[in-house]
Amino acid sequence: MNAVTGWFGWVGECFFCQRPSNRQHASSTTLSPVSLDNIKIGSETVIVKSGRRICGSGGALGDTPLNQDKTYFEIKVQASGIWGVGVASHDVCLDKAPLGTDNHSWLLRHDGTCWHGNEPIATLSIVPSEGDIIGITFDHVQLQFYINGKLADGCVASNLHTQVYPVFYVDDGAIIDVNFEKFYYEPPQGYSCIMKEQDMLSDS
């Protein structure tokens, strides 16, 4: 397969993979929509679905930093492969998967391990699989993951003392959809969707 054919194959899969719809979304609203950043992405990363689906090879940041006290967002694993989700600073390199190999990112990988600084820091009690909904909570002290609404204890990254963004990566045919609102599961108590700075000021 040449590079051009491979690229169009990624785009076709991104647009046309099946999306089961038997689970209801929990309601959530924000004044300005948060999406994947079309600039801060890997060189072979493909973003479609109005900034809500990532495929191809590489990573992408969300376009809004996590400045609130407690934030929540989700992904749905649409197609299995190599993927990851977590938080990262703006200095992270997004060109090559997997992430978590430097000090700029804290990631859950597809095999249920959590990585930072090129070392595994924890292992989830539940290994995610295709079709699963993964919820992510962040309170500037802890990063935790929920699989289909259940806390997958054991993956906690602490002492995150820098501004971070939601981060996602895919490779080897993986496709993930990102939910910054209209969640499948209600956020844990005290947590809410990511808000842009102007919305935080309007809400105060």
Side-chain angles (χ1 to χ4, degrees), residues 14 18 34 40 58 72 84 114 132 136 174:
C14 284
Q18 295 297 311
V34 177
K40 189 61 177 176
Y72 176 83
C114 300
D132 282 348
I136 301 94

Side-chain angles (χ1 to χ4, degrees), residues 71-77 83 85-86 108 124 128 132-138 143-153 155 168 177 179 183-188 191:
T71 50
Y72 176 83
F73 58 99
E74 292 177 339
I75 68 167
K76 181 172 184 178
V77 183
W83 58 264
V85 59
L108 166 66
L124 291 187
D132 282 348
I133 309 298
I134 301 169
I136 301 94
T137 61
F138 178 68
L143 178 66
Q144 294 183 308
F145 300 93
Y146 294 74
I147 310 297
N148 298 324
K150 285 187 172 184
L151 177 62
D153 51 283
C155 191
F168 317 86
D177 283 356
N179 291 330
F183 300 125
Y184 286 92
Y185 294 93
E186 291 288 349
Y191 289 84

Side-chain angles (χ1 to χ4, degrees), residues 83-99:
W83 58 264
V85 59
V87 298
S89 73
H90 210 261
D91 296 324
V92 67
C93 177
L94 299 167
D95 287 332
K96 187 177 180 180
L99 275 65

Side-chain angles (χ1 to χ4, degrees), residues 105-144:
S105 57
W106 295 259
L107 272 298
L108 166 66
R109 292 183 176 179
H110 65 281
D111 61 0
T113 58
C114 300
W115 286 71
H116 171 67
N118 205 30
E119 293 183 356
I121 55 176
T123 301
L124 291 187
S125 58
I126 308 170
V127 177
S129 59
E130 186 173 312
D132 282 348
I133 309 298
I134 301 169
I136 301 94
T137 61
F138 178 68
D139 64 2
H140 299 271
V141 176
Q142 294 182 329
L143 178 66
Q144 294 183 308

